[in-house]
Amino acid sequence: MRTIATILAVLLLSLSASAAQPGRTLPFTQAQNQDGSKFVWFIFGNAGFNYAYVPAKDLPSSPNFREVSEPQPGDVAWWPGFIAIVKLHDGKLVSYLTAESERALEEIEGLFGKPKFYRYVVRN
């Protein structure tokens, strides 16, 4: 069985590879994605995990995510004004489409403090 982490990792890698192609666009502007929530929503939706869009500040109250203490790939790192996807076991977070915007968790913690982590809840 493929896990959320596996599906998201494959999708992130394929989107990152295609991001440099001419004409590649996202269905939102950078200004609409200031808190990272549009990107996370877009990635999860394209991986088949649909949920009603919520801005980063409202993610903890979403019925589609639950807080976890030990993050895994595919989980969401949350700060009150920003979210990003935990990419792989390399300690990197992805908050945009290109490899240049991957950031080490420690680097982000230095700027914004420690995040809380949330996992998508699969509903049958």
Side-chain angles (χ1 to χ4, degrees), residues 59-102:
L59 186 83
S61 63
S62 170
N64 298 297
F65 291 87
R66 67 177 167 84
E67 189 173 351
V68 294
S69 57
E70 295 294 322
Q72 297 176 1
D75 288 346
V76 175
W78 178 84
W79 293 265
F82 188 74
I83 59 176
I85 299 171
V86 177
K87 183 182 167 209
L88 297 171
H89 293 293
D90 60 2
K92 300 277 185 175
L93 301 176
V94 178
S95 61
Y96 219 75
L97 222 48
T98 63
E100 289 82 13
S101 41
E102 290 179 9

Side-chain angles (χ1 to χ4, degrees), residues 38-72:
K38 290 275 188 178
F39 176 74
V40 171
W41 174 75
F42 175 75
I43 294 295
F44 272 77
N46 276 282
F49 306 109
N50 297 306
Y51 63 92
Y53 168 76
V54 292
K57 67 180 180 59
D58 296 332
L59 186 83
S61 63
S62 170
N64 298 297
F65 291 87
R66 67 177 167 84
E67 189 173 351
V68 294
S69 57
E70 295 294 322
Q72 297 176 1

